[in-house]
Amino acid sequence: MGNVKFAWTWNVKEQCVEEYVKLHEKPWPEILEEHARAGIRNYSIFRNGSQFFYCFECDDIDAAFSYLDRSEACRRWNAITSKMVEGSFDLGEAEPIRFLPEVFRLA
């Protein structure tokens, strides 16, 4: 498949925005390592007020989410950040993240 992009948005609770940004400015090294091991690459997060836009590439999203769901480091990270967002970090759910359809790409 190769070079498959995934994107979604989440709103961060107003009272948590500053802490959420600080966490992502200096993410735990093990979180970065686990995402790379899961096959996630070129991961970016953009901010518009309290709305955050996430975009990454991954060849097998089901395998990646399964790997991350079993990661102890990711579970610890998600326990902290899940309280900050309006959405679900439960990767065991059928649709934990609602991905946005891609409508244009200049390659």
Side-chain angles (χ1 to χ4, degrees):
M1 200 178 227
N3 204 24
V4 178
K5 289 185 179 182
F6 296 89
W8 74 97
T9 64
W10 265 335
N11 289 318
V12 173
K13 297 171 186 170
E14 288 290 336
Q15 68 273 23
C16 299
V17 169
E18 186 177 323
E19 183 181 2
Y20 190 82
V21 168
K22 284 182 182 177
L23 277 171
H24 287 83
E25 287 175 341
K26 294 183 180 175
W28 305 342
E30 60 266 37
I31 292 297
L32 301 177
E33 292 166 8
E34 289 291 73
H35 280 73
R37 285 188 191 118
I40 293 174
R41 61 190 180 280
N42 296 325
Y43 193 170
S44 296
I45 302 173
F46 300 89
R47 177 182 174 195
N48 181 26
S50 63
Q51 183 182 49
F52 289 74
F53 176 82
Y54 306 76
C55 182
F56 64 79
E57 295 176 358
C58 180
D59 295 330
D60 187 340
I61 193 66
D62 293 332
F65 276 11
S66 178
Y67 180 88
L68 295 176
D69 191 40
R70 294 187 311 271
S71 165
E72 190 273 330
C74 289
R75 287 176 187 242
R76 284 187 292 118
W77 178 270
N78 290 348
I80 295 167
T81 57
S82 65
K83 296 173 185 159
M84 300 178 187
V85 301
E86 297 171 5
S88 174
F89 273 86
D90 185 352
L91 299 177
E93 287 183 11
E95 191 178 31
I97 295 170
R98 288 212 171 111
F99 291 116
L100 302 170
E102 184 177 52
V103 296
F104 174 79
R105 182 187 305 194
L106 176 63

